[in-house]
Each structure stands twice: as C-alpha cells, then as structure tokens.
Amino acid sequence: MTAPPLQGSSITDFGVDAQGELSKLRRHFGRADIFFYLVCTLFGVDGLGTLATKGGAGFTWLILCLLLFALPSSMLLAELGAAYTDEGGPYVWVRMAYGHLAGAVNNFLYWVTNPVWMGGTLVGTAVGGLLVFFNGGNEYSTTTLYIIGAVFIWAGVLFAILSFRVGKWVSTIGACSRFLLLGVFVVVIVMYGAEHGFHGIGAGGFAPSYSSFVALVPLILFSMVGFELPSAAGDEMKDAAKDVPAGIRKSLITTGLLYGLPVLGILLVLPASQASGLAGFPDAIKQALTVFGGTVSTAADGTVTTTLTGFSQLIGWIMGLLIVIAAFTSGLTWIMGSDRALAVSCLDKAGPRYLGEFSERFGTPVRVNILSGVVSSVVFVAATEITSGDAAKFFTVALSLAVSTTLMSYLGLFPAAWTLRRKNPDHPLPYRSPAIAFTTSISLVFIVFCTVQILFPGLGDSWFGSDYRPDGWTGDEKWTYLLTEFVPLAVFIAIGVAFWALGRRERPTSESIPPASVASVR
C-alpha cells in the first residue's frame, strides 16, 4: 500500500509554498532500508588500496579512527537524526543551530563534494576495476574514459531522479554487492595464503607514524562520515526516532569489518609498493584469484604481473563488475541524500527557490539531481584534462578535493547536537549521545587537523615532502596541487554565500520558524 502524502516538516515551518513541495513526499524508508543505505554510504572501494600504501600502519590507523572518531561522531549524528526528523536533516540541523548563512555555506559544501566525488574518484575507481580485469591493466584512451564517465555519471542521475521507493532498492543491491565482493575476496585470500604463503607483516610494521597519519587519516575520516545521510530523507522515514540510531549502530560495526578485512588482505597479498590508490584492491583480488588458475610473475624492479586463465578469468570479470557496482552505488546514495538537503535549503530560502522544487511524480528534487550531473561532468572533464588522462594523478586530485570539501562540511554538523541540546533543553531526545562535550570536541579536532593536512600535506614537518605528497606528484608541483585544492574550495564557499544572499532577498523580515527551535539568523 502506498503511504499517505506528508504534511511537511515537524520541526521547521518552511511556509505554505514550501509545505506544498514537501507534501509530495512519501514514507518509504524503513529500518532495513536505512541499514543498507548506510552500508553503501559508508563503505566505498575507492580508498582501500590507498589505506594499504603505508603497510600495517594503515590498518592501525583504521582501528584507531573507528574507535576515536567514527564511534563518537556517529553518536552525535544518531542524536540529531532521532530528535530532529525533518526532510533535509543535515541542512536543517546546522540552520537551526547557527542560522541561514552557516546553513547555506555548510550545506553547499556538503552537497558539492558529492558530484565532485562521483565525477572524479568514483569514476576513477570504476575505471581501475575495468582496467585490471577487462583491459589487462593497460590505460584506456581519453575517448574511452569520456564514454565510461558519461555513462557512469548520468546513469546515477537517472536513478537519483526515481523515487526513494525505487532508489532504496538500488542501495540494497549495492550493499549486497559489497557483501559478495568482500566475502569472495576473504575466501580467496585464505586459499591463496594456504597455497603460496602470505606476504606477511611483522609486528613492527603495524606501528603508526606521523607521515602515515597525514597520508591516511584524512582518507579514513572521509570513509567514516555519512551516518547522517539517511536523515536527508527524514520525512520519508517510517519511524526515524527508532530506526536511525539502530541503523547507525549496525552500520558502524559492519563498516569496520568491511574495511578491516580487505585492508588486511591487501597487506597479506601485495607488497606495499604494489598497492596503489587506484588499483591496489583490484590487483590484490586478481593475484588471489590465481588459486583458480593463472600465473603471478615478478619483474626485476619488483613489479607483480598477474595473468588469469579459464575459471579464474570468469570470476575476475564478476569481481570487476562488482567493483563498478560498489563505486556506482556509493555515489548514488550520496547524491540522493545530499540533493535532498540542497533542495530543502532552497525551500528554506537559503538558496535559489528554483532548485527547491520536488517532482510531483517522483517526489525527488529533479532540478538538483540534474545540476549534480552537470557538476560531476564538469569535474570529470576538468580532472581528465588537467592530468592529461593520467589515471593515477586524476585519482589523487579528485580524491583530495572530495575529502577536503566533505570534512569541512562537518565543522557545522558535529557541534550542532551540543548546540541544539543547549538551545532546546526541553526538546525530546529519543537517543542521547553520552559525554557530548567530549564526543563533539574529539570529532572536531580530527576534522580540523585533517582538513589542514589535505590542503598542505606534511605541514608542521615537511610540507609536500616525499613522505607526504600524494601519489603521482613531484616535489616541484606543490603549488599546482595547492591550487587544484584551494581554488575550488574558495569558489564553493563563495557560491554558498551567494546562495545565502539570494535566499535572504526572498525571506520575510521576521522569521517564521518557531524561536524555540532555531537560532537567530542574522
């Protein structure tokens, strides 16, 4: 049975016009849907190879970040998602806590990182899987890259336009593809080790270092944010107060396992020198699959070349397709959620009203969905041209930009729970984050430090030194790298301010939002 239309947000009064748009939404999102959605949101295959580039230190930082960052930050977001269940949750929370300007700028950063990520890193991940399993590791021509990128991006836009009733099944398929991909990987790793012996890492290889912290922790944090994303469809949930904390708790444990097991597998099968950010995970899979047929040869320079034959090649093709599906559904879930947050911000007059329209037929923000596709395409073309089709350098440029914009958006999100608890002491909290001062502080410390290190890798020791600069870059390219990161960030912030200014002209003099729920805007 189709659920009845909603009557608008329960906390924030967006006005009659906006309520008309929100009434197009339907409740489709249950507890199992939230869990599968979060698995797709949190676990992506694009960073697995990079996590192994520093040997066992990558695994050590993964566990530490899980305990010291993902756990406390997820509790903050569980409190917000259970207590404030409006559509566009991530925007609404920041806007309620700090006003329209902070909400507009923070939310634009939160949104724009996803088309940047989809048109950059995720396309690169899909290309990496195709290169390893379907093209013998050889680079594709620029024309072929453009074709792959266009199909990848605009297929995602199409699915994002479809209603959540359809889109949630895509995330379910994406989650299942991850379970199958990593389940097969773990099995073949064990078989490979039993037959050939493991590469092995001594106990000292797991010791963390400052250089590995700078190189890996920003990426790990990027991989462990997103617990709030289902709340962007808060008005489409069946019971957000109960389902959000439960979904976050289960997905936190699942994500830890999904990241931890493959990273260990990569470390056991491939020498660290062979694990690149673009193809380290596919290479590890390919090498392990030789237990079903194939050969592994090592050149004089230590390069490992793997050839699959017969049944192993068939399994390799399947694994390559699963990598593409995992990358595709990662981008899709983020686009579905962040597009809703941007549309709601525009309904709340923190951006152009034109972008705030929801489709009567699909109940989705079609105009923002199309805008995401356009931005993704521009990023894809720009990154391809800047790097002259160099897939490895393309990957690092796009990934660094996606990480920096994402982390910056959490500077507004993480403290919102503590702020709203103090502003609205009588508001019901179905879930309360324990030790909220500590969880907020430690989450922000991680975010601030890692954002700085993304922009200036190695700052405080050796900025852009050999131990810190991203793969594919040389020491004399640090200013080029900085410009590729800083200029887009400055442009994104300026656009966020422009959105606020456009919306301010449409806002009435007196705020219509209940003073008990929100901060003063001016």
Side-chain angles (χ1 to χ4, degrees):
M1 181 185 301
T2 302
L6 301 172
Q7 298 303 314
S9 298
S10 58
I11 302 296
T12 308
D13 179 9
F14 289 124
V16 175
D17 180 50
Q19 295 290 357
E21 293 297 325
L22 295 176
S23 69
K24 300 173 183 177
L25 305 176
R26 301 291 187 273
R27 295 191 189 276
H28 300 299
F29 219 19
R31 181 172 297 190
D33 303 320
I34 292 173
F35 169 71
F36 288 129
Y37 191 90
L38 279 171
V39 169
C40 284
T41 298
L42 295 165
F43 177 76
V45 296
D46 48 313
L48 284 175
T50 304
L51 287 177
T53 58
K54 296 295 182 179
F59 182 78
T60 301
W61 285 123
L62 179 67
I63 300 302
L64 291 175
C65 288
L66 188 69
L67 297 175
L68 298 178
F69 175 77
L71 178 59
S73 65
S74 68
M75 292 189 293
L76 294 172
L77 298 170
E79 176 173 322
L80 288 167
Y84 301 95
T85 61
D86 302 79
E87 189 79 5
Y91 161 73
V92 172
W93 305 335
V94 178
R95 182 261 193 267
M96 288 166 59
Y98 306 112
H100 272 108
L101 177 57
V105 174
N106 197 84
N107 194 56
F108 189 82
L109 287 175
Y110 184 79
W111 168 78
V112 76
T113 187
N114 298 300
V116 168
W117 186 41
M118 190 167 190
T121 311
L122 292 179
V123 173
T125 300
V127 168
L130 294 174
L131 285 176
V132 170
F133 291 108
F134 292 92
N135 206 45
N138 299 313
E139 292 283 349
Y140 286 120
S141 68
T142 302
T143 300
T144 303
L145 282 177
Y146 277 129
I147 293 173
I148 294 172
V151 172
F152 187 93
I153 291 167
W154 288 99
V157 171
L158 175 61
F159 279 108
I161 288 173
L162 298 177
S163 71
F164 231 113
R165 181 170 57 86
V166 177
K168 69 180 184 180
W169 289 109
V170 178
S171 62
T172 300
I173 293 171
C176 292
S177 72
R178 287 158 169 77
F179 298 147
L180 179 59
L181 174 67
L182 298 180
V184 172
F185 179 63
V186 170
V187 170
V188 296
I189 281 292
V190 173
M191 295 175 63
Y192 185 88
E195 182 174 333
H196 300 285
F198 292 102
H199 174 68
I201 301 175
F206 288 92
S209 64
Y210 182 74
S211 62
S212 63
F213 181 92
V214 170
L216 297 176
V217 172
L219 175 62
I220 295 173
L221 265 57
F222 176 71
S223 302
M224 292 184 174
V225 294
F227 291 102
E228 77 295 332
L229 193 63
S231 294
D235 277 344
E236 298 167 77
M237 292 182 180
K238 296 177 180 178
D239 190 352
K242 293 182 180 179
D243 294 345
V244 167
I248 288 177
R249 181 173 59 252
K250 293 176 183 177
S251 64
L252 176 65
I253 297 170
T254 303
T255 300
L257 293 173
L258 290 176
Y259 275 119
L261 293 177
V263 168
L264 274 179
I266 292 173
L267 293 173
L268 292 172
V269 173
L270 289 181
S273 61
Q274 299 301 318
S276 70
L278 177 64
F281 182 51
D283 280 340
I285 295 175
K286 188 173 183 179
Q287 185 169 331
L289 284 176
T290 56
V291 296
F292 298 120
T295 60
V296 179
S297 59
T298 304
D301 61 357
T303 301
V304 176
T305 301
T306 304
T307 303
L308 300 180
T309 59
F311 181 67
S312 66
Q313 180 64 75
L314 175 62
I315 300 299
W317 290 336
I318 294 173
M319 298 293 272
L321 290 176
L322 289 175
I323 289 173
V324 174
I325 292 172
F328 177 77
T329 52
S330 287
L332 179 59
T333 53
W334 274 97
I335 290 293
M336 290 168 62
S338 63
D339 282 3
R340 281 166 167 77
L342 183 64
V344 168
S345 72
C346 293
L347 283 177
D348 192 35
K349 299 177 181 178
R353 176 61 182 80
Y354 175 81
L355 295 177
E357 181 173 317
F358 283 75
S359 166
E360 183 75 43
R361 177 181 179 185
F362 300 112
T364 55
V366 174
R367 291 173 178 173
V368 180
N369 295 152
I370 293 174
L371 179 61
S372 289
V374 172
V375 174
S376 291
S377 300
V378 169
V379 169
F380 174 69
V381 171
T384 301
E385 294 302 318
I386 289 172
T387 59
S388 301
D390 185 326
K393 187 175 285 190
F394 172 101
F395 182 86
T396 56
V397 168
L399 181 60
S400 296
L401 182 57
V403 171
S404 59
T405 52
T406 298
L407 296 186
M408 287 184 68
S409 71
Y410 286 87
L411 294 174
L413 273 172
F414 286 153
W418 194 10
T419 300
L420 290 176
R421 190 187 287 190
R422 290 183 287 111
K423 286 182 175 293
N424 305 322
D426 298 326
H427 187 80
L429 296 177
Y431 172 83
R432 293 178 67 91
S433 173
I436 193 167
F438 171 77
T439 53
T440 301
S441 299
I442 193 169
S443 299
L444 286 176
V445 166
F446 268 99
I447 289 293
V448 171
F449 181 83
C450 289
T451 300
V452 171
Q453 290 298 329
I454 280 290
L455 296 175
F456 306 95
L459 188 67
D461 181 15
S462 175
W463 176 33
F464 224 70
S466 58
D467 291 335
Y468 301 102
R469 59 177 173 262
D471 292 340
W473 292 84
T474 62
D476 58 358
E477 293 180 306
K478 65 180 180 181
W479 293 109
T480 302
Y481 171 83
L482 179 60
L483 288 174
T484 63
E485 301 299 315
F486 183 77
V487 172
L489 275 176
V491 170
F492 295 157
I493 292 172
I495 294 174
V497 174
F499 269 36
W500 166 79
L502 288 171
R504 187 181 185 189
R505 293 193 300 180
E506 300 179 2
R507 290 196 296 274
T509 303
S510 59
E511 294 294 334
S512 61
I513 302 201
S517 298
V518 298
S520 174
V521 177
R522 302 293 183 252

